[in-house]
Amino acid sequence: MNAPFENASLYDCRDAFVATLESLGAADDSIVAVCNDSVGSSKLAGFREKFPERLINVGIAEQNMVGVGAGLANGGKIPFVCAASPFLTGRALEQIKADVAYSETNVKLVGISAGMAYGELGATHHSIEDFAWIRALPNVPVIAPADRIETAAAVRWAASHQGGCFLRLSRVGVPDLLPADHAFTLGKANMLRDGADLTIIANGTLTCRAMVAAAILDGQGIAARVLNMASVRPIDADAIVAAAEDTGAILTCEEHTTFGGLGSAVAEVVVDVIPVPMKRLGVPGIFAPTGSANFLLDEFGMSPEGIASSAAALIKRKS
Amino acid sequence: MQSSELRAIANKIRRRDLQAVYEAGAGHIGGEMSVTDLLTALYFKIMSVDPDAPRDPQRDRLVLSKGHTALALYIVLAEKGFIAKEEIATFLKPHSRLNGHPTRTKVPGVETNTGPLGHGLPIAVGMAVAAKLSREKWRTFVITGDGEMQEGSNWEAIMAASQFKLDNLTLVIDHNRLQQGARVADTNDVAPLRPKLEAFGWAVEEIDGHDMDQICNALAADKVVPGKPRCIVARTNKGQGISFMSDNVAWHHKVPSAEQYKQAMAELEEAGR
């Protein structure tokens, strides 16, 4: 359990991703990176320098990129297929379905600059459908790490996991939240803070905002539990049921549309097992306007103050 | 294996395919007849594959990108010993692993699941890159339909294969000139294929895709051009071997009546003599 941070240093999770990939690549020459002209945005220049043969840049061709990843896996390689998340997931969705998920190939999909990271570039570049798209597919775990520690742990897990997965990374700086020795366990949430009045469930860039919101609520006499739910599929049903039993209300926050993402996944468990008042924060099914990721998250009620205010309203619905 | 033996195997596969389509009441008989000679040459003459070690890392790979002709592949795999011959009778039956498109995790010898068109060539490019990275000699083959070449993902892969100098990759285009609902020429005509592939840096050869000598010759390892991916444009007939199906767009996935079945089988038997 971590204390709320103040003026914490912010880190770009891509740096943790590439540092881990380079270190794994040095130990195992079956690790390869595949990208779509995204050496810069995927921060793969260092990997290319260390392992020039093992950086496979297919150019601006995402469908081919995912197929090439599946073929590399067939040939015994462990491909990390990296691209801006909206194009990796949306452009190549059928390849992800047929060549990765259905074929059960050992392809690691890495969606870079996910969520609102490209906020200013407009709705074509917002990746706020990727949880829903990939979560609908069998065999592909969906993982959104909350900080550089969890990112590194998830990349190590992905390399050792036999099968495909989707790692969703932002480029927006986040503080350290998890302990330095954190080991990623698929399908397990981390309780970052305990409380009896409600549970806030978040992942990715929203986890740190949830922690600040919990501190605000604490000042109002409301004790919030905060669960970091990096694993969207499989989801930690036990932690959700325990949260419903112990706190009686659940608020979810995600850098995603409210259709089919983390909030939906949590709601599915709540509805099936233990109905309690719930509220899902996210982008409410519209194309978002232009603005930085942080501006847009604030705009959609996910500033720390916004989250705290939704939480305070939610607990009034408890019976 | 001699061409005469290969022709006999191909004829046997056609007859079993016709019977299976008739009994299952479904299948893609037109394209299966056009691709059979190509599959026969690959599995019985060209490729190094072992039914007792279907995942041997050194095996040659075939990707059947035109996955709707799965039945022809299943029968080839059965003839080769990857699956039991009796299992062909389960084609399309409930819970059969022989569904209408090949499944890697269920059917030994299948390298990747296919079905949606335009997927096979990108995967084959990845396989060929993997072999190059590992400095291994195994070859990758992929068979697409000609209508399938309308999918843009193929052209992404064509550019990549040339850029990566994948001379261990061979694309065979089953050029039967018909797609599901119309002639390719009347839909979005990708022909002529040869100059297009050549312009993208491939070594291309056009052959009669039903002439076993030409097929085997074109696929032989000594025909590989160093540094260039290879494309065989195989001129074929949809419904090859069956007079009323041949080059007839109606027979993409039509099922013969009892009378048509009898006639078709008689024609194939006659051709096999």
Side-chain angles (χ1 to χ4, degrees):
Chain A
M1 218 177 296
N2 294 37
F5 54 84
E6 273 174 33
N7 300 323
S9 300
L10 303 182
Y11 299 98
D12 180 340
C13 289
R14 293 178 300 173
D15 293 322
F17 161 62
V18 294
T20 310
L21 193 66
E22 286 170 27
S23 122
L24 290 165
D28 180 353
D29 65 9
S30 60
I31 301 265
V32 299
V34 187
C35 70
N36 63 336
D37 189 37
S38 64
V39 172
S41 56
S42 299
K43 294 207 166 196
L44 289 167
F47 188 92
R48 180 174 60 187
E49 198 167 310
K50 290 188 176 70
F51 320 108
E53 270 196 322
R54 288 196 262 147
L55 186 281
I56 297 141
N57 185 350
V58 300
I60 307 162
E62 291 76 21
Q63 298 174 59
N64 183 48
M65 174 181 65
V66 173
V68 165
L72 284 161
N74 174 288
K77 306 301 175 192
I78 304 174
F80 280 75
V81 175
C82 309
S85 200
F87 313 126
L88 169 67
T89 59
R91 193 77 174 242
L93 186 57
E94 191 189 75
Q95 277 73 16
I96 294 173
K97 172 184 170 181
D99 309 347
V100 179
Y102 184 38
S103 290
E104 296 182 37
T105 48
N106 197 23
V107 177
K108 322 304 171 183
L109 303 161
V110 186
I112 307 273
S113 309
M116 297 293 195
Y118 286 138
E120 297 91 340
L121 300 186
T124 54
H125 285 56
H126 300 168
S127 190
I128 57 169
E129 305 87 5
D130 48 9
F131 282 158
W133 286 340
I134 310 300
R135 190 170 79 89
L137 302 174
N139 302 333
V140 183
V142 175
I143 300 157
D147 67 3
R148 60 175 177 160
I149 297 155
E150 191 170 35
T151 299
V155 172
R156 281 193 296 273
W157 172 87
S160 64
H161 168 69
Q162 277 302 310
C165 65
F166 172 54
L167 294 179
R168 187 200 208 236
L169 303 181
S170 182
R171 65 197 289 154
V172 176
V174 284
D176 290 348
L177 295 163
L178 290 152
D181 62 350
H182 174 72
F184 178 80
T185 308
L186 183 66
K188 281 290 157 215
N190 317 102
M191 193 193 295
L192 295 181
R193 179 186 175 113
D194 203 0
D197 295 328
L198 91 158
T199 301
I200 305 175
I201 301 179
N203 63 18
T205 52
L206 263 301
T207 299
C208 67
R209 287 170 172 251
M211 288 296 284
V212 181
I216 295 169
L217 289 165
D218 196 48
Q220 298 168 7
I222 297 170
R225 175 180 294 186
V226 176
L227 292 181
N228 174 49
M229 189 73 75
S231 180
V232 180
R233 178 177 177 155
I235 194 105
D236 189 344
D238 292 343
I240 295 166
V241 172
E245 279 172 351
D246 298 346
T247 71
I250 295 176
L251 176 68
T252 60
C253 313
E254 60 192 309
E255 197 172 348
H256 190 270
T257 164
T258 51
F259 291 76
L262 174 68
S264 298
V266 171
E268 286 157 15
V269 175
V270 168
V271 166
D272 282 354
V273 185
I274 177 169
V276 293
M278 251 199 88
K279 169 80 179 166
R280 292 169 297 126
L281 292 177
V283 181
I286 61 168
F287 288 113
T290 295
S292 71
N294 284 325
F295 165 81
L296 288 170
L297 292 174
D298 292 353
E299 187 83 352
F300 289 114
M302 291 182 282
S303 64
E305 296 75 17
I307 295 169
S309 131
S310 286
L314 179 64
I315 58 173
K316 296 202 177 104
R317 287 171 48 202
K318 286 166 69 173
S319 50
Chain B
M1 197 177 278
Q2 298 297 310
S3 289
S4 57
E5 292 172 83
L6 293 169
R7 279 193 290 274
I9 294 170
N11 182 273
K12 188 178 176 189
I13 290 163
R14 281 197 171 87
R15 281 183 282 131
R16 186 66 191 91
D17 192 287
L18 168 67
Q19 183 197 342
V21 168
Y22 180 64
E23 288 173 357
H28 286 84
I29 192 158
E32 283 151 16
M33 295 300 129
S34 74
V35 81
T36 292
D37 293 312
L38 301 170
L39 286 173
T40 302
L42 282 164
Y43 276 91
F44 291 89
K45 173 85 174 178
I46 301 296
M47 292 201 306
S48 169
V49 289
D50 179 0
D52 295 326
R55 296 276 171 93
D56 179 346
Q58 302 302 318
R59 72 195 183 276
D60 290 332
R61 267 75 162 174
L62 172 84
V63 177
L64 183 65
S65 192
K66 44 178 290 182
H68 52 285
T69 58
L71 178 55
L73 177 63
Y74 297 149
I75 296 168
V76 168
L77 291 174
E79 288 294 323
K80 191 79 185 169
F82 283 89
I83 58 174
K85 289 180 187 172
E86 310 82 70
E87 198 177 339
I88 298 301
T90 72
F91 177 59
L92 306 185
K93 295 254 164 64
H95 289 292
S96 170
R97 61 179 178 168
L98 306 185
N99 75 34
H101 296 90
T103 312
R104 180 188 87 90
T105 51
K106 294 179 180 167
V107 185
V110 172
E111 296 290 350
T112 186
N113 300 5
T114 49
L117 298 175
H119 285 237
L121 186 54
I123 296 167
V125 166
M127 291 171 173
V129 172
K132 289 272 181 197
L133 285 174
S134 306
R135 314 270 190 273
E136 285 163 357
K137 293 289 179 205
W138 51 270
R139 299 173 70 190
T140 301
F141 300 89
V142 53
I143 302 179
T144 65
D146 50 1
E148 182 182 359
M149 296 309 290
Q150 292 162 354
E151 290 281 8
S153 49
N154 283 321
W155 298 93
E156 295 182 357
I158 284 166
M159 291 185 278
S162 170
Q163 179 74 25
F164 300 153
K165 303 188 180 0
L166 299 178
D167 50 16
N168 55 353
L169 172 69
T170 300
L171 161 65
V172 183
I173 303 176
D174 182 9
H175 193 13
N176 61 32
R177 305 173 313 285
L178 303 180
Q179 52 196 103
Q180 177 174 249
R183 303 193 76 81
V184 175
D186 296 333
T187 309
N188 185 356
D189 196 2
V190 290
L193 288 155
R194 180 179 193 145
K196 294 188 178 80
L197 270 292
E198 281 174 344
F200 280 106
W202 285 54
V204 188
E205 182 172 350
E206 267 190 278
I207 61 164
D208 176 342
H210 298 307
D211 182 319
M212 205 49 87
D213 291 324
Q214 287 191 36
I215 297 171
C216 293
N217 183 47
L219 291 169
D222 61 10
K223 294 298 284 290
V224 166
V225 178
K228 284 194 172 196
R230 187 156 168 74
C231 173
I232 313 294
V233 179
R235 290 188 304 271
T236 57
N237 288 311
K238 217 159 171 173
Q240 168 73 8
I242 302 167
S243 59
F244 59 91
M245 290 186 196
S246 186
D247 198 36
N248 182 342
V249 77
W251 284 95
H252 178 76
H253 55 193
K254 198 168 139 173
V255 179
S257 66
E259 201 168 316
Q260 288 169 325
Y261 174 65
K262 244 173 93 179
Q263 185 191 334
M265 192 56 88
E267 287 184 15
L268 289 177
E269 277 166 0
E270 177 61 29
R273 280 209 187 94

